[in-house]
Amino acid sequence: MSKVVYQGRSYERQDDETVLRCLLRNGIHVPYSCESGACQSCVMQVTSGEIPPNAQEDLKETQKSLGYFKPCVCKPEGDLEIIALDDAHKQKHQVTVVEKCFLNDEILRLRLACDEPLEYRAGQFINLFNGDLIRSYSLASLPGSDEMLELHIKRVPTGAMSNWLCDDVQVGDQLSIAGPMGECFYHEVDGEKGLLAVGSGSGLAPLWGVVRDALAQGFEKPIILCHGAMSAENLYYVDELRRLEKAHPNFSYFPCLSDVEASELPAGMFSGYPNDVAFAQQPTVAKWQIFLCGHPEMVDQTKRKAFLLGASLTDIHADPFVPASSA
Ligand SMILES: Cc1cc2nc3c(=O)[nH]c(=O)nc-3n(C[C@H](O)[C@H](O)[C@H](O)COP(=O)(O)OP(=O)(O)OC[C@H]3O[C@@H](n4cnc5c(N)ncnc54)[C@H](O)[C@@H]3O)c2cc1C
Ligand code: FES
């Protein structure tokens, strides 16, 4: 048993309980979503005590040095004194919906104008708020090229946020976001041999940004993008990606269909999961920069396989679209 002092009041933390769960058990209202360290919506600041390294993973170095940490994955050895972040430190912004467009039956594209210039890299994510509801969405837009922030939202059956965005939010509405966050963006690395991007469903959002960012920065080595969906109707941005392929000979696009037999494939499409198609195209990935986004299981499996095929963990940038915790 150890102690958590939050905003000056002390609470007993049970063994094996996270700091977040301890606060919630004591009736304290704190923001959170994924409860797995992926979304950063719960980030707080420590003022005294030792934070285990896993609770600061993926935070910026400046944030780590200020004692920011993720209480949802934090089980400290000893006592902790912590405080909540104010809106400024949470990087909260107001945005206006300027375009709402369905890219297929289940994917909504939202374009948003930010009330102040937002510094971000294509592929990072923001947290979007609807009252107490918080969900993360990746930035598909490319700063300097796209005027608006662009999100691709997959409608999830019974999904609280995705259905609200698809059905209720209107052009002209104001929304609150926080961010940008995350490390899933193009990094220039010495000696890299290529860039492999693998995504499923709306996992194309960050990859659409990352690939265009790399090309805009003059990346000349091969770029392979494998985007997966069940059928051709579930894909999107096919024409846009084909145009990008024509304009850049080093870029190859592989639309992958998991539920379509090879004999029934539309022209130019591939049968199978995007990760399988990716490694069939590129069996060795040492010194390749790898981007993995979308379904958490696919991202996890592909990360392990990429590592076994020679990729360094520091070259693998993964954003599993972990759903919010239902606890
Ligand atoms: C870093 C990060 C980036 C993300 N980027 C994007 C993005 O760019 N685009 C995007 O569409 N989503 C993205 N997500 C996922 C997003 O944050 C939400 O989890 C998603 O929109 C579902 O929220 P919801 O409120 O509609 O559903 P909820 O109300 O949270 O869930 C309703 C039910 O559906 C289940 N569920 C949740 N997601 C799925 C799913 N994908 N498939 C099947 N069942 C599901 C839940 O377990 C629950 O039972 C990202 C997540 C993370 C952590
Ligand atoms: S990172 Fe803590 S709730 Fe998502």
Side-chain angles (χ1 to χ4, degrees), residues 20 31-43 70-73:
L20 177 73
Y32 72 100
S33 179
C34 72
E35 268 204 277
S36 62
C39 76
Q40 301 188 24
S41 62
C42 63
V43 168
K70 299 182 238 182
C72 69
V73 288

Side-chain angles (χ1 to χ4, degrees), residues 56 201 239 270 287 294 304 313:
Q56 292 192 312
D239 293 343
F270 295 76
K287 296 259 179 194
R304 268 183 276 139
L313 282 180

Side-chain angles (χ1 to χ4, degrees), residues 18 31 33 39 44 58 80-81 90 179 202-203 226 286 304 316:
T18 63
S33 179
C39 76
M44 292 183 179
D58 298 331
L80 274 191
E81 285 184 34
K90 279 186 183 159
S202 52
C226 297
R304 268 183 276 139
I316 304 178

